[in-house]
Amino acid sequence: MADQKPKKPCQSAVTTRYLLMPHHANPHGTAFGGTIMSWIDTVASMAAQRHARTEVVTASIDQIQFRQPINIGDHVLLKASVNYVGRTSMEVGVKVTKENPYTGNSTVATTAHLTFVALDEKHRPTVIPPLEPATDDEKRRFANAQKRLEQRKTEITKKGE
């Protein structure tokens, strides 16, 4: 079992950057949603692995919002951070910002929340370290993630009725 000391979100946060190329785009010159989703899943899984220090699998993409189109030539900045940790699973939030490399103007293009489950060497769920939010922003994200978790549980219960 991995070290179970609480970890701060900043200890596992991941930031990466891509250049949106023509092969990432549709005929309108904007990003394919699937390309952005793939990048989101990749950066989120890296943050989850850094927190759990073990293999993780995507359990769900609970929410993804495409707010602004990303154009060919834009820089795409993805920031992933663990928002909430349960016993064997965690929520990771990802913010995708598009940046015009010539003007420097940037705007949030996409946001997403994903749930990952940590696995042991036998590919069974395993206990992970708790999360210790430190900043006001981390505490806000933690509280919001708790609300989303409760909402998911309520929806699952309703579907079972």
Side-chain angles (χ1 to χ4, degrees), residues 84-104:
Y84 181 82
V85 170
R87 188 172 170 277
T88 62
S89 65
M90 68 200 97
E91 182 192 275
V92 178
V94 179
K95 179 169 68 172
V96 180
T97 303
K98 71 174 188 170
E99 179 184 285
N100 181 309
Y102 306 112
T103 66

Side-chain angles (χ1 to χ4, degrees), residues 18 32-44 61 64 78:
Y18 294 94
F32 281 121
T35 297
I36 302 303
M37 289 171 51
S38 174
W39 291 348
I40 287 170
D41 192 35
T42 299
V43 72
I61 298 178
I64 186 164
L78 294 97

Side-chain angles (χ1 to χ4, degrees), residues 49-66:
Q49 286 173 334
R50 291 186 76 199
H51 181 85
R53 292 294 179 204
T54 189
E55 182 179 351
V56 299
V57 292
T58 309
S60 68
I61 298 178
D62 303 321
Q63 193 177 81
I64 186 164
Q65 295 179 342
F66 295 99

Side-chain angles (χ1 to χ4, degrees), residues 9-52:
C10 64
Q11 292 176 275
S12 57
V14 174
T15 301
T16 191
R17 183 180 288 264
Y18 294 94
L19 173 63
L20 193 78
M21 300 292 286
H23 67 277
H24 300 130
N26 60 34
H28 305 291
T30 60
F32 281 121
T35 297
I36 302 303
M37 289 171 51
S38 174
W39 291 348
I40 287 170
D41 192 35
T42 299
V43 72
S45 70
M46 287 189 277
Q49 286 173 334
R50 291 186 76 199
H51 181 85

